[in-house]
């Protein structure tokens, strides 16, 4: 393949000949020569072995201009060809045309002696300026400044200068073979795609080479990018952690939680700030649920490797990765095992169906051992371990390939027992990245007999690991799980392909398998940092999580291992990995139930953590059933300490609040607080938590003043005992601001929340879930106080951030959708309001059920949209349904009920039922004065509404007195320029929009 790069002027013409492996150098050389006014043709050269080398070189001479060869030891493995064939060609045809040929050398390894005829100039150890000077000097060109500086673009960066951010792409495979057309087509597709659509998924079965191809793309085209970031995507947790780690690498201001980091990162990538030329590679992304929440958009590129064909439903282009072409297979085999003839290589490639992973193993074995090829092929064909292939579950891998791997592992068992022991230990982990070095943290005395060498004999460890790497059974991955750790044997990790993992596991005896799984369980417990609340330790927890189930840790009776499982659940809860945590908790329960009674302390703690995760995930009913069953069991089983009962009761009360059982929840929460005061005293952390939750329960019942008194006391104690910047103290400050707003003290609420917002950003970071809740509350305070000109923009921005952290269907996001919809309706954007309110109503109905107070209250918001659209009869139906439903569940005096009554009275007035409206308005005003106070803004809105109904029945004298009283009180409490006051003065009918609040 040749591409011509034209440049203006009368300079010389050069044909740059390169192996695909060295494309970055070829494109840089072309860029520099063009900047000096020369014409350049790039020619990727990989002559087939069956074509004589002299003929291939003769073909190069057909081109006009001089031929510049980009040399390395890799270049002379093309074909591959014997050293003598290259030497003959260099001494013959190249020497005879020496004036046409020149060369650069990219390696410090010795080249063939016959390359002296090319007089190659070394570029491998110098900087960009010196490399350019040497290149020009070798070609006999002036070495001064460029004639016409070219703009930076693809391929223009010096290959020895890495991208600004290089995200631990796997080490380049120096034996990478072929795939040139696939790689070039992939680059062309990504470069030509419109901004925001440059996403490609490499699809194929296990062992076909998807990961190797992605890694080679990153290395080969690295000069096209300023940021290249590799994301191991075997599990959702590791994917989110690794993706989020890019945020601080780009200097983005974000906290430590993956959700907030990903939000900040996606926004930066979308803007192309600080870098627009970025490449993200998601390796092994098979679980694609929620993928759209993580896939970035913007000017950069995304590359995915996967076995999941459901990617076809997303915005990614699919590229099927086939096996090697036959010439690629034979070329690889002959390079790795030089003793093979072309015929032997062809036989092996045919037998192994040109599958790269199988060829890697075969080449490694035949290159390292002296086994005759005929013997190897006989064993593969006879199926030395044919029963392995009959077991199934190998993702379409041919039987011959399985047999080939079996041969290798069994021979290693005979010759390298330590290597096989280490390999079997790897198979007790999950496939993929394995932190094998953790075993060296264990005392030798804790290891089973015969395995003490793993922790004590570093030389044996190194030999065993080197053997596995040399035979391509595993690859090294030296990435440290925790920032700041110096890599060493204790931090060493390897990568094990899932097919190899499965084969090794099946070839290991049950006894040895269980021994090695026991070692891994000890390793996991020893590696547990012990503090899942510390977000700095989350990368370590994300690393441990995939290995719980394969190691048998979930069924372990060991107290340390069980505590590690609980800590991983706590990590899932704290880090927002609710889906992962839900599945893990169910797995743990299934195993522990076999040997722990339900009231066992471990099971109680498991239930607490599982309930927390389910509740945070929005699965309120399952959490309730779980917590209720536990509490009933504890109450009927004697001998349980009070704190256990207290915790179970507190969890149930939380579930009841989310399910709308507000009275029952308040009763249970009072019991929790009384127990805490008696057992722990008034200043204990758990007592203050119980007191805070009591305030939540009072607020949900509309008892705002009582809630404020409780919350203010809790805030003062937390400020004293925990200090002002503790996360729990910030929660209390937010609760007080919410209370003040609901009490109608809008200015006080805004002042407190503004101060709390600054602390949230300083302490937790701008994208922490709690910070987002604080920002939501701040916007509600600003809206009620009548401030912030660009409220719509602020709500839209917060909605985007919240969706990034929680997902679109999470209850926190849905609540914000509703508040944004209410604002849009109020400010005349009826179409947007209609969409948002419909989304919010459907979301809460699906999450909570149609009878929940939140779902019922949403009918009132829908009515307001219909009323604004002129559909007054339909709106009134909604208002009346909301009023009747909430009255039945919350009673007639709850503020939510009063709000629905205010809207229903307005709906009756607008549809001509003025007497009925007047009756409802009088009753609503009376109840509002009793529930909220005479000067509450809502009470005054009821008074304004009553005046309008009186005026509608020509009761002008009473209407005037009522209206004047309301205006005076509104001016005194909110100010003459507040929107409520201005609207009342202009006789705009007041309304109430429902702000969904779950607690």
């Amino acid at each position: 393949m040749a591409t011509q790069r034209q440049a203006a002027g009368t300079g010389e013409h050069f044909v740059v000949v390169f192996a695909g492996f060295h494309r970055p150098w070829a494109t840089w050389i072309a860029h520099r020569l063009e900047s000096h006014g020369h014409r350049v043709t790039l020619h990727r050269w990989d002559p087939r072995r069956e074509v004589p080398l002299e003929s291939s070189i003769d073909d190069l001479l057909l081109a006009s201009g001089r031929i510049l060869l980009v040399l390395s030891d890799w270049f002379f493995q093309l074909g591959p060809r014997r050293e003598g064939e290259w030497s003959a060609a260099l001494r013959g045809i190249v020497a005879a045309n020496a004036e046409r040929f020149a060369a650069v050398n990219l390696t410090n390894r010795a080249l063939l002696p016959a390359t002296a005829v090319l007089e190659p100039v070394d570029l491998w150890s110098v900087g960009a300026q010196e490399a350019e000077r040497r290149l020009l000097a070798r070609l006999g060109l002036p070495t001064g400044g460029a004639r016409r500086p070219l703009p930076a673009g693809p391929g223009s960066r010096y290959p020895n200068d890495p991208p600004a951010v290089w995200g631990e792409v796997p080490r380049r495979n120096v034996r990478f073979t072929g795939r040139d057309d696939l790689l070039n087509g992939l680059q062309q597709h990504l470069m030509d795609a419109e901004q925001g659509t440059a996403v490609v998924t490499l699809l194929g079965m296990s062992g076909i080479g998807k990961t190797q191809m992605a890694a080679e793309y990153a290395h080969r085209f690295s000069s096209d990018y300023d940021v290249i970031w590799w994301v191991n995507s075997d599990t959702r947790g590791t994917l989110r952690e690794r993706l989020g780690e890019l945020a601080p690498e780009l200097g983005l201001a974000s906290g430590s939680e993956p959700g907030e980091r990903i939000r900040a990162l996606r926004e930066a990538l979308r803007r192309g700030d600080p870098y627009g030329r970025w490449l993200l590679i998601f390796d092994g992304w098979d679980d694609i649920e929620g993928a759209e929440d993580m896939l970035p958009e913007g000017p950069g590129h995304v590359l995915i490797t996967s076995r999941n064909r459901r990617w076809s439903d997303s915005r990614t282009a699919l590229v099927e990765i086939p096996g090697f072409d036959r010439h690629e297979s034979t070329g690889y085999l002959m390079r790795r095992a030089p003793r093979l003839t072309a015929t032997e290589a062809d036989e092996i490639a045919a037998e192994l169906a040109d599958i790269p992973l199988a060829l890697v193993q075969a080449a490694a074995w035949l290159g390292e051992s002296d086994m005759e090829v005929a013997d190897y092929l006989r064993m593969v064909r006879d199926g030395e371990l044919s029963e392995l292939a009959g077991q199934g579950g190998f993702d379409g891998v041919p039987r011959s390939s399985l047999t080939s791997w079996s041969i290798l592992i069994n021979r290693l068992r005979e010759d390298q027992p330590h290597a096989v022991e280490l390999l079997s230990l790897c198979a007790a982990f999950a496939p993929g990245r394995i932190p094998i070095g953790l075993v060296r943290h264990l005392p030798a005395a804790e290891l089973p007999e015969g395995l003490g060498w793993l922790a004590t004999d570093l030389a044996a460890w190194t030999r065993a690991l080197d053997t596995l790497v040399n035979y391509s059974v595993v690859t090294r991955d030296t990435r440290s799980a925790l920032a700041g750790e110096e890599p060493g044997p204790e931090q060493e990790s390897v990568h094990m392909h899932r097919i190899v993992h499965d084969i090794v596991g099946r070839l290991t005896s049950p006894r040895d398998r269980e021994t090695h799984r026991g070692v891994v369980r000890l390793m996991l417990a020893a590696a547990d940092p012990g503090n899942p609340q510390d977000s700095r330790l989350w990368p370590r927890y994300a690393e441990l999580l995939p290995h719980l189930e394969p190691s048998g840790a979930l069924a372990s009776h060991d107290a340390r291992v069980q505590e590690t499982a609980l800590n991983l659940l706590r990590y899932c809860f704290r880090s927002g990995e609710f889906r992962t945590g839900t599945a893990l908790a169910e797995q743990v329960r299934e195993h522990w139930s076999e040997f722990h009674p339900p009231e066992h302390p471990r099971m109680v703690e498991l239930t607490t953590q599982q309930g927390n995760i389910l509740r945070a995930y929005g699965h309120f009913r399952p959490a309730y059933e779980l917590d209720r069953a536990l509490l009933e069991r504890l109450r009927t089983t004697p001998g349980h300490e009070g704190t256990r009962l207290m915790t179970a009761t507190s969890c149930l009360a939380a579930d009841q609040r989310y399910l709308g059982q507000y009275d029952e929840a308040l009763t249970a929460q009072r019991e929790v607080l009384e127990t805490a005061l008696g057992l722990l005293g008034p200043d204990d952390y758990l007592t203050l938590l119980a007191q805070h939750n009591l305030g939540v329960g009072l607020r949900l019942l509309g008892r705002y003043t009582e809630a404020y008194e409780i919350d203010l006391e809790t805030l003062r104690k937390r400020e004293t005992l925990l200090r002002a910047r503790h996360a729990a103290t910030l929660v209390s400050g937010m609760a007080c601001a919410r209370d003040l707003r609901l009490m109608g003290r809008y200015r006080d609420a805004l002042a407190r929340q503004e101060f709390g917002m600054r602390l949230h950003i300083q302490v937790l970071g701008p994208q922490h879930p709690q910070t987002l809740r604080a920002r939501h509350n701040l916007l509600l305070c600003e809206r009620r106080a009548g401030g912030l000109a660009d409220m719509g923009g602020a709500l839209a921005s917060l909605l985007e951030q919240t969706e990034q952290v929680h997902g679109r269907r999470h209850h926190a996001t849905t609540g914000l959708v509703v508040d944004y919809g209410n604002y849009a309706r109020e400010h005349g954007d009826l179409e947007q309001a209609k969409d948002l309110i419909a989304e919010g109503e459907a979301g809460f109905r699906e999450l909570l059920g149609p009878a929940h107070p939140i779902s019922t209250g949403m009918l009132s918001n829908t009515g307001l949209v219909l009323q604004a659209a002129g559909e007054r009869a339909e709106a009134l139906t909604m208002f009346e349904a909301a009023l009747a439903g909430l009255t039945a569940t919350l009673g007639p005096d709850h503020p939510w009920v009063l709000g629905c009554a205010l809207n229903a009275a307005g709906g009756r007035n607008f549809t001509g039922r003025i007497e009925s409206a007047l009756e409802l308005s009088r009753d609503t005003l009376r109840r509002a004065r009793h529930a909220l106070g005479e000067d509450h803004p809502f009470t005054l809105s009821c008074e304004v509404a009553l005046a309008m109904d009186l005026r509608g029945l020509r009761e002008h004298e009473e209407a005037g007195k009522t209206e004047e009283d309301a205006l005076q009180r509104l001016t005194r409490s909110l100010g003459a320029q507040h929107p409520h006051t201005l609207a009342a003065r202009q006789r705009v009918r007041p309304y109430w929009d429902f702000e969904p609040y779950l607690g």
Side-chain angles (χ1 to χ4, degrees):
M1 181 198 75
T3 57
Q4 184 150 317
R5 299 162 61 112
Q6 296 288 343
T10 59
E12 294 190 47
H13 177 220
F14 295 94
V15 179
V16 179
V17 179
F18 63 98
F21 194 80
H22 290 306
R23 174 173 288 276
W25 280 99
T27 53
W28 176 79
I29 289 170
H31 188 270
R32 300 322 304 145
L33 289 175
E34 287 174 349
S35 74
H36 286 270
H38 305 288
R39 294 185 298 116
V40 179
T41 298
L42 291 179
H43 186 84
R44 174 173 57 83
W45 198 53
D46 188 5
R48 297 290 181 92
R49 189 184 64 255
E50 56 269 20
V51 178
L53 187 56
E54 289 83 354
S55 297
S56 297
I57 295 176
D58 268 334
D59 289 343
L60 293 178
L61 288 169
L62 295 176
S64 64
R66 298 175 64 188
I67 300 166
L68 178 65
L69 303 180
V70 180
L71 300 184
S72 70
D73 47 345
W74 178 259
F75 187 88
F76 294 105
Q77 293 180 35
L78 293 174
R81 300 174 188 274
R82 303 299 183 190
E83 181 176 325
E85 188 177 357
W86 276 106
S87 296
L90 290 169
R91 292 179 182 132
I93 190 169
V94 174
N97 296 274
E99 75 286 353
R100 296 282 310 278
F101 287 95
V104 296
N105 177 27
L106 305 180
T107 180
N108 60 349
R109 299 183 183 91
L111 298 178
L112 296 178
T115 56
V117 68
L118 293 166
E119 300 179 14
V121 60
D122 289 336
L123 301 186
W124 60 268
S125 62
V126 298
Q129 286 186 330
E130 176 61 14
E132 182 174 343
R133 188 197 67 78
R134 291 186 182 188
L135 169 68
L136 296 171
R138 172 63 187 87
L139 296 174
L141 302 173
T143 57
R147 286 174 53 182
R148 56 182 199 99
L150 299 179
S156 63
R157 188 175 58 239
Y158 185 54
N160 279 351
D161 294 339
V165 178
W166 178 258
E168 297 172 7
V169 177
R171 191 176 306 169
R172 193 171 194 185
N173 180 3
V174 296
R175 298 188 177 99
F176 185 86
T177 294
R179 310 291 202 184
D180 284 328
D181 290 336
L182 279 171
L183 286 165
N184 292 332
L186 178 59
Q187 187 217 24
Q188 194 66 47
H189 176 89
L190 289 172
M191 290 295 179
D192 291 346
E194 294 182 9
Q195 181 171 321
T197 64
V199 185
V200 172
T201 296
L202 305 181
L203 275 178
M205 72 179 198
S206 292
I208 206 67
K210 303 182 295 294
T211 297
Q212 288 294 324
M213 188 169 162
E216 176 62 20
Y217 180 90
H219 287 282
R220 185 170 298 193
F221 298 105
S222 61
S223 56
D224 293 352
Y225 300 99
D226 298 313
V227 175
I228 300 180
W229 195 254
W230 187 276
V231 181
N232 290 318
S233 308
D234 300 71
T235 66
R236 176 180 169 86
T238 54
L239 186 157
R240 284 168 54 83
E241 284 285 350
R242 181 69 186 132
L243 179 60
E245 288 170 4
L246 178 54
E249 292 289 331
L250 297 182
L252 304 180
S254 65
S256 56
E257 290 200 348
E260 59 185 283
R261 284 184 168 184
I262 290 170
R263 202 284 323 160
L265 174 64
R266 288 190 68 189
E267 177 61 20
L269 295 177
R270 184 187 65 79
R271 296 194 314 267
D273 181 19
Y275 301 104
R277 301 195 311 163
W278 49 262
L279 170 66
L280 265 59
I281 302 174
F282 295 91
D283 183 42
W285 196 350
D286 294 331
D287 180 4
I288 67 174
E289 184 175 342
E292 288 300 321
D293 294 335
M294 265 165 303
L295 275 179
E297 296 181 348
H301 301 161
V302 177
L303 190 57
I304 300 165
T305 74
S306 180
R307 297 175 299 158
N308 191 339
R309 296 190 173 276
R310 286 177 53 211
W311 280 109
S312 60
D313 299 332
S314 67
R315 58 185 173 90
T316 174
L318 302 183
V319 174
E320 292 275 359
I321 305 302
F324 277 153
D325 290 337
R326 180 55 52 84
H327 75 92
E328 294 174 336
S329 299
T330 56
Y332 178 82
L333 288 165
M334 294 174 69
R335 278 191 290 272
R336 185 75 187 271
R339 67 188 178 93
L340 297 180
T341 67
T343 301
E344 289 172 332
D346 189 78
E347 284 189 84
I348 295 167
E351 193 62 42
L352 299 179
D354 296 298
I355 295 176
L357 183 64
L359 294 169
V360 167
Q361 177 274 315
W365 174 251
L366 293 170
E368 297 286 339
S369 74
D370 57 1
M371 179 182 284
E372 293 295 329
V373 172
D375 293 336
Y376 177 82
L377 286 171
R378 178 186 53 76
M379 287 190 292
V380 170
R381 288 165 179 160
D382 292 348
E384 186 180 83
L385 290 165
S386 57
E387 73 279 1
L388 190 64
Q391 294 177 16
F394 283 107
D395 192 26
V397 177
R399 174 174 173 170
S400 59
S401 177
L402 301 177
T403 304
S404 176
W405 278 101
S406 302
I407 294 169
L408 170 63
I409 293 166
N410 283 331
R411 292 307 171 91
L412 284 176
R413 186 174 285 114
E414 296 174 7
D415 302 332
Q416 302 279 351
H418 277 170
V420 174
E421 285 177 347
L422 188 58
L423 184 61
S424 298
L425 184 63
C426 289
F429 288 86
R433 185 172 183 272
I434 297 171
I436 190 65
L438 293 177
V439 72
R440 297 189 56 79
H441 288 285
L442 294 176
E446 291 192 25
L447 292 170
E449 185 178 356
L451 292 180
W453 68 271
L454 289 165
T456 59
D457 192 340
L458 180 58
W461 166 276
T462 303
R463 284 194 301 272
L465 191 55
D466 286 346
T467 296
L468 298 179
V469 172
N470 290 339
Y471 280 102
S472 298
V473 182
V474 300
T475 56
R476 273 192 170 92
D477 178 359
T478 56
R479 179 185 172 217
S480 172
L482 295 178
E485 287 186 355
E486 288 296 326
E490 289 76 17
Q491 288 78 38
E492 195 145 29
S493 293
V494 297
H495 190 277
M496 191 176 195
H497 196 281
R498 66 178 67 248
I499 291 293
V500 181
H501 180 276
D502 200 1
I503 292 172
V504 173
R506 298 192 198 198
L507 293 177
T508 303
S509 70
R511 179 180 177 182
D512 288 345
R513 188 183 307 123
E514 188 48 46
T515 297
H516 292 128
R517 292 172 82 202
V519 172
V520 174
R521 293 195 290 272
L522 291 175
M523 293 164 61
L524 296 176
D528 179 1
N531 186 10
Q533 292 186 341
D534 188 343
S535 59
R536 294 170 298 179
L537 301 174
W538 289 350
R540 170 54 56 83
Y541 281 113
E543 179 184 51
L544 300 181
L545 185 59
H547 307 295
L548 275 183
E549 194 276 332
S551 68
L554 302 181
S556 175
H557 292 245
D558 188 300
R560 294 177 299 171
V561 178
Q562 291 181 4
E563 185 61 25
T564 297
L566 289 172
N567 275 340
L568 282 162
L569 283 173
R570 296 179 182 112
Y571 151 73
C572 290
F573 174 61
R574 296 288 177 181
S575 66
E577 294 294 341
F578 303 135
R579 185 161 67 93
T580 300
T582 298
L584 176 61
E586 197 53 46
Q587 286 181 296
V588 174
R589 178 171 297 280
E590 181 180 346
H591 287 288
W592 286 9
S593 296
E594 296 179 1
F595 51 82
H596 281 326
E599 63 275 6
H600 189 279
R602 291 280 184 202
M603 294 297 288
V604 173
E605 181 60 22
L606 169 62
T607 299
T608 299
Q609 297 306 323
Q610 187 174 8
N612 287 341
I613 293 170
L614 287 169
R615 199 179 307 115
Y617 199 22
H619 295 181
F620 306 132
R621 178 60 63 176
Y624 170 78
E625 298 297 344
L626 193 69
D627 293 330
R628 184 182 64 173
L630 174 64
L631 183 58
E632 289 176 353
R633 191 171 289 110
L634 292 178
R635 284 175 171 168
T636 56
T637 306
H640 289 291
E641 57 176 311
T643 54
R644 203 166 294 151
L645 276 168
M646 180 187 73
T647 300
T649 305
S650 180
C651 289
L652 184 66
D655 299 328
Q656 289 171 327
R657 286 194 292 272
Y658 279 106
L659 290 173
Q661 301 171 12
Y662 301 143
D663 288 316
E664 298 91 332
L666 187 65
T667 300
Q669 194 59 49
R670 289 195 188 280
E671 178 186 334
V672 171
L673 181 56
E674 289 172 7
T675 303
L677 288 168
L679 289 175
L680 306 173
D683 296 335
D684 186 83
Y685 182 90
L686 291 179
T687 304
L688 294 177
L689 177 60
Q691 189 167 290
H692 168 78
N693 287 334
L694 179 63
V696 175
L698 290 166
R699 190 179 310 119
L700 285 166
L701 282 168
R703 295 157 65 173
Y704 303 141
T705 302
E706 293 176 71
Y708 178 64
E709 291 170 355
I710 291 285
D711 289 332
L712 190 59
E713 180 184 354
T714 306
L715 174 63
R716 288 167 176 164
K717 285 192 173 183
R718 281 177 165 173
E719 284 178 336
T720 301
L721 299 170
L722 301 177
R723 302 307 179 203
R725 296 170 65 85
H726 192 281
T729 307
L730 299 182
V731 169
S732 286
M734 189 178 356
C736 288
R738 188 183 295 275
D739 294 332
L740 288 167
R741 175 168 57 81
L742 294 172
M743 292 163 63
R745 295 169 56 180
Y746 298 150
R747 293 172 183 164
D748 293 340
L750 178 59
R752 179 172 287 282
Q753 191 59 36
E754 284 177 333
F755 174 71
M757 191 70 239
R758 290 194 294 271
L759 287 180
H760 270 87
I761 293 172
Q762 293 170 10
V763 175
L764 299 176
Q767 307 306 324
H768 190 282
Q770 185 174 313
T771 305
L772 296 180
R773 289 197 299 273
R775 192 180 300 279
H776 187 177
N777 194 43
L778 176 62
L779 290 177
L780 293 176
C781 290
E782 289 175 326
R783 183 184 176 200
R784 296 305 172 199
L788 193 62
D790 187 22
M791 178 71 69
L795 283 166
S797 174
L798 179 59
L799 178 56
E800 182 181 355
Q801 295 170 39
T802 304
E803 184 179 354
Q804 289 293 330
V805 172
H806 292 298
R808 187 72 178 190
R809 301 176 69 180
H810 191 273
H811 58 84
T813 312
T814 304
L816 185 54
V817 164
V818 172
D819 289 331
Y820 188 15
N822 286 333
Y823 175 84
R825 186 211 71 246
E826 184 178 65
H827 287 78
D829 193 342
L830 200 54
E831 285 303 312
Q832 184 181 35
K834 188 176 182 180
D835 291 341
L836 291 171
I837 294 301
E839 178 186 346
E841 183 183 349
F844 278 125
R845 190 186 307 113
E846 180 182 355
L847 179 68
L848 305 172
H852 192 285
I854 298 286
S855 303
T856 306
M858 280 300 302
L859 298 176
S860 194
N861 286 336
T862 302
L864 289 173
V865 173
L866 291 170
Q867 188 168 268
E871 301 175 33
R872 293 182 169 182
E874 294 82 354
L876 179 57
T877 300
M878 291 291 174
F879 295 146
E880 298 287 7
L883 176 59
L886 285 183
T887 301
T889 56
L890 301 178
D893 294 330
H894 193 289
W896 292 356
V897 176
L898 299 176
C900 291
L902 177 67
N903 289 342
R908 293 178 187 181
N909 183 299
F910 290 148
T911 55
R913 299 171 53 189
I914 300 179
E915 290 185 0
S916 177
L918 177 61
E919 180 183 356
L920 182 56
S921 290
R922 284 194 190 279
D923 183 66
T924 304
L925 176 59
R926 178 179 59 82
R927 294 181 184 279
R929 283 171 171 164
H930 178 263
L932 298 171
E934 290 194 350
D935 289 327
H936 192 288
F938 178 82
T939 305
L940 300 178
S941 291
C942 292
E943 196 169 5
V944 170
L946 175 61
M948 292 182 176
D949 292 332
L950 288 166
R951 192 173 292 106
L953 290 173
R954 293 185 170 80
E955 300 286 348
H956 296 295
E957 182 177 353
E958 184 181 357
K961 291 180 180 179
T962 301
E963 182 180 67
E964 184 59 29
D965 181 68
L967 286 172
Q968 289 179 0
R969 290 175 183 270
L970 280 170
T971 302
R972 186 167 60 246
S973 60
L974 298 180
Q977 299 305 311
H978 190 279
H980 285 2
T981 309
L982 294 174
R985 198 172 299 282
Q986 294 165 9
R987 294 182 176 175
V988 176
R989 181 89 191 194
Y991 56 84
W992 173 82
D993 48 30
F994 177 55
E995 297 172 0
Y997 173 65
L998 283 166

